[in-house]
Amino acid sequence: MNPHLCRVALRPRGPLEVFDLSLRLIHAHAGRFLRLGLLFVLPWALLGGAAVALSELDVLVLVLLPLIFFPLQAPATLLGGRLLFADTVSIRSVVYELTSMLRPLALAWAWQAGTLSLGVGCGLVPLVIVLPVTAYITETSLLERVGAARSFRRSARLAGSNPGIALAASAGWVALTMWGALVAESGGQALIGFVLQLGQPFGALSTGQITPYMIFGILAVQPIYAIYRLLLYVDVRTRVEGWDLQVGLRAAGLEER
Amino acid sequence: MELLDTTATIETPERVSFRYRLAGPGQRSVAWIIDLAFQILVIALVVVLLLPLGLAAGLEGVGAGLQYLAMFVVQWFYGVVFETLLAGRTPGKLLLDLRVVRVDGSPGRFPDYLLRNLMRFADFLPVAFGIGVLTMAMDPRLRRLGDLVAGTVVVAEDKANMLGDVVLEPPVSEAERRALPPRIELSHDDLQVIEAFLRRRPKLSDDRAEELARLLGPALSERTGVEAPSWERVLTLAWARATGRDRPVEAPAPPPAPAEPAPPESRS
């Protein structure tokens, strides 16, 4: 890993272009992200899908689902963050690094969940304000390696310096999650109902039921969203703190020496 | 090493390379939503116009048939018509500065627009451009199925922004100029990164600017012998001397005084 040479062209971009860039990053390391998805997303998707299909707990599953978004996004954030400065990163090293940072990360998430619950639950602050403030907490915890309180402050500061991008991060999560649910639901119904002619063994979203396809779709897009948010974090640091300049000047400084 | 970016490079037969910015699902989805709103508006307008017409003529069936025909025409040919008329742009793309071009960078033609728009319905499957987005994610040029079939690509047009001169604040003083070494050589990369730093300087806080300048300043000062009260100033002075920007800016010459009319020649 060379921390002085970023593999992504750093320049201020719009949130929509950042999403396109996140797809390029995933495409460039498709094998790694696929392995990571098989390791982290598939077990949860199977578990959630089975819970919905085999029990009457579908509403409970849907309520509890957001709790596993954080652990699904974190490995992708870490892998993406390492791939910004390295051509090859092993999944094993990502898992090892993640487990070594689990405690501060869990504290940061607890802080985030607490803020969201307090702000929205008490009716003090609307979700549209609270959500962007805590948007970058996973990035600040994992990539800047700071404690929970400091990562929360950093996230709030970055979000406050460019609220539009932080809002885009939250809106992106809503849009991508809905898109994942819809596409997986339609795809699943088409495959099982039309191609295999098995009807609707798990019900259908159109009849108000929560299906395993939908659960799979919601979970499958979380790592993609994590990469999008990571690159938004990079973008906001580039705009506000001149992160691209930092990388360039440090590389030039080392060259001079 | 090629950096990961949302751009693609094209080499012309004359071996001239140029770069263009690609538009993927992020930018195109917003353009599509605008186009969808526009299509709904057009269809609603047609319904409002045709329904009373059919009722007045006592031909409800004809009115409804014309409405369905209008919906079909708008849905299938909206993209083709606008992209042909507006040189690769629909109203949505126009608002987002996107344009459809051929993969070699040349302007698209009617058959290209027709083909890519006919394939739109395959891209839309199973819903919400599921196949289209997956195809774009797997293509290095962010193309959906329709683009792959038609040999087109959607690009984001950069606004033609000419970079102005770098403003040195404060300008290099006479005393600083005299203290500078007569000649400073900086590498192309150094020049570029310092220029980027100077251009973005107004947007950075003083502390952050000094923190950034410290990454290169000490090594640069040691090599070139440039000394200044802050690292930021070291970078500024070294760049100014290396690029010849340390010379005093010449005041613009005053406009020439209007020529006095020549005295009439006296003829004797």
Side-chain angles (χ1 to χ4, degrees):
Chain A
M1 191 168 89
N2 182 359
H4 313 300
L5 181 61
C6 190
R7 264 61 172 176
V8 172
L10 294 171
R11 58 184 159 82
R13 302 164 200 267
L16 298 173
E17 194 188 341
V18 170
F19 182 74
D20 297 342
L21 183 68
S22 64
L23 290 184
R24 296 291 312 264
L25 182 64
I26 292 169
H27 175 260
H29 302 280
R32 277 185 199 87
F33 281 106
L34 195 64
R35 284 202 294 278
L36 198 78
L38 289 175
L39 194 63
F40 285 93
V41 179
L42 196 62
W44 286 108
L46 290 175
L47 199 68
V52 166
L54 305 174
S55 70
E56 301 293 318
L57 303 172
D58 46 356
V59 176
L60 185 68
V61 170
L62 202 63
V63 171
L64 293 177
L65 211 56
L67 290 179
I68 57 169
F69 287 167
F70 296 133
L72 284 186
Q73 292 169 5
T77 303
L78 197 57
L79 177 62
R82 296 292 167 256
L83 285 171
L84 290 182
F85 294 99
D87 290 326
T88 55
V89 177
S90 71
I91 301 298
R92 188 192 295 261
S93 69
V94 170
V95 175
Y96 179 76
E97 203 174 340
L98 197 65
T99 46
S100 71
M101 296 165 70
L102 221 48
R103 194 166 165 272
L105 196 60
L107 274 174
W109 287 337
W111 200 294
Q112 184 176 21
T115 310
L116 291 175
S117 313
L118 200 70
V120 182
C122 299
L124 296 173
V125 197
L127 193 65
V128 75
I129 296 175
V130 185
L131 209 58
V133 167
T134 59
Y136 309 115
I137 211 159
T138 306
E139 285 72 21
T140 50
S141 298
L142 282 175
L143 307 177
E144 298 182 20
R145 288 177 169 267
V146 291
R150 195 155 167 226
S151 70
F152 179 81
R153 280 201 302 274
R154 275 282 293 158
S155 174
R157 211 184 120 238
L158 286 172
S161 62
N162 207 320
I165 295 179
L167 202 62
S170 306
W173 175 73
V174 174
L176 202 59
T177 303
M178 281 172 63
W179 181 84
L182 276 176
V183 170
E185 169 71 13
S186 304
Q189 296 292 358
L191 183 71
I192 302 294
F194 291 104
V195 178
L196 301 177
Q197 290 289 306
L198 294 174
Q200 295 181 335
F202 307 116
L205 186 62
S206 56
T207 56
Q209 288 166 298
I210 293 159
T211 64
Y213 319 122
M214 183 186 154
I215 300 290
F216 179 79
I218 290 174
L219 297 181
V221 296
Q222 297 310 314
I224 301 171
Y225 171 68
I227 296 299
Y228 173 53
R229 197 185 51 204
L230 166 75
L231 293 176
L232 280 178
Y233 160 80
V234 169
D235 187 64
V236 80
R237 283 197 65 183
T238 299
R239 285 168 190 270
V240 177
E241 299 175 350
W243 199 50
D244 52 336
L245 299 173
Q246 182 180 326
V247 172
L249 287 167
R250 184 179 285 146
L254 287 175
E255 195 78 17
E256 284 288 338
R257 284 187 198 107
Chain B
M1 190 187 71
E2 184 85 9
L3 295 181
L4 196 71
D5 202 352
T6 46
T7 55
T9 308
I10 286 178
E11 195 175 283
T12 64
E14 295 79 23
R15 295 197 173 276
V16 177
S17 295
F18 63 94
R19 237 166 214 277
Y20 56 82
R21 206 152 55 83
L22 299 164
Q27 298 172 78
R28 288 163 72 173
S29 59
V30 177
W32 178 77
I33 289 168
I34 294 168
D35 284 331
L36 185 68
F38 200 70
Q39 285 178 44
I40 291 169
L41 196 74
V42 171
I43 291 170
L45 206 67
V46 170
V47 169
V48 167
L49 288 176
L50 290 184
L51 199 64
L53 203 71
L55 287 175
L59 299 166
E60 292 90 350
V62 173
L66 285 174
Q67 285 163 36
Y68 287 123
L69 189 66
M71 283 167 73
F72 169 78
V73 169
V74 170
Q75 281 182 347
W76 281 82
F77 296 102
Y78 171 89
V80 186
V81 170
F82 276 112
E83 282 172 7
T84 307
L85 291 177
L86 300 175
R89 293 185 292 184
T90 58
K93 289 191 179 81
L94 193 68
L95 286 172
L96 277 124
D97 289 318
L98 308 181
R99 190 189 290 273
V100 181
V101 294
R102 293 171 62 81
V103 279
D104 60 4
S106 62
R109 295 167 307 175
F110 175 74
D112 307 324
Y113 300 138
L114 183 69
L115 210 52
R116 73 182 296 278
N117 279 292
L118 289 182
M119 287 296 289
R120 185 182 295 276
F121 287 81
D123 278 307
F124 195 81
L125 292 173
V127 73
F129 284 97
I131 288 179
V133 172
L134 289 178
T135 316
M136 281 190 250
M138 288 189 284
D139 183 63
R141 290 190 175 176
L142 300 170
R143 288 176 295 174
R144 63 173 174 84
L145 277 182
D147 291 317
L148 288 169
V149 170
T152 54
V153 63
V154 181
V155 298
E157 294 185 312
D158 285 317
K159 297 253 170 49
N161 285 335
M162 289 292 285
L163 289 174
D165 277 345
V166 177
V167 179
L168 301 179
E169 197 53 50
V172 182
S173 67
E174 190 54 42
E176 283 176 323
R177 191 168 26 253
R178 273 199 227 105
L180 281 173
R183 185 180 164 83
I184 293 177
E185 279 189 8
L186 293 179
S187 68
H188 179 68
D189 286 350
D190 283 0
L191 283 172
Q192 269 198 327
V193 76
I194 298 173
E195 187 178 324
F197 170 75
L198 294 173
R199 283 189 190 283
R200 298 259 293 281
R201 174 62 186 90
K203 291 180 182 170
L204 301 168
S205 68
D206 290 348
D207 287 347
R208 179 62 181 159
E210 188 59 15
E211 190 184 357
L212 288 174
R214 192 175 293 126
L215 295 168
L216 175 61
L220 196 65
S221 173
E222 197 179 336
R223 181 172 72 81
T224 58
V226 176
E227 287 184 358
S230 68
W231 296 122
E232 184 192 340
R233 200 63 186 160
V234 167
L235 260 55
T236 307
L237 293 175
W239 182 85
R241 174 49 56 101
T243 56
R245 294 288 305 276
D246 58 328
R247 294 185 203 103
V249 181
E250 287 178 14
E260 285 179 20
E265 284 180 21
S266 56
R267 289 185 182 179
S268 55

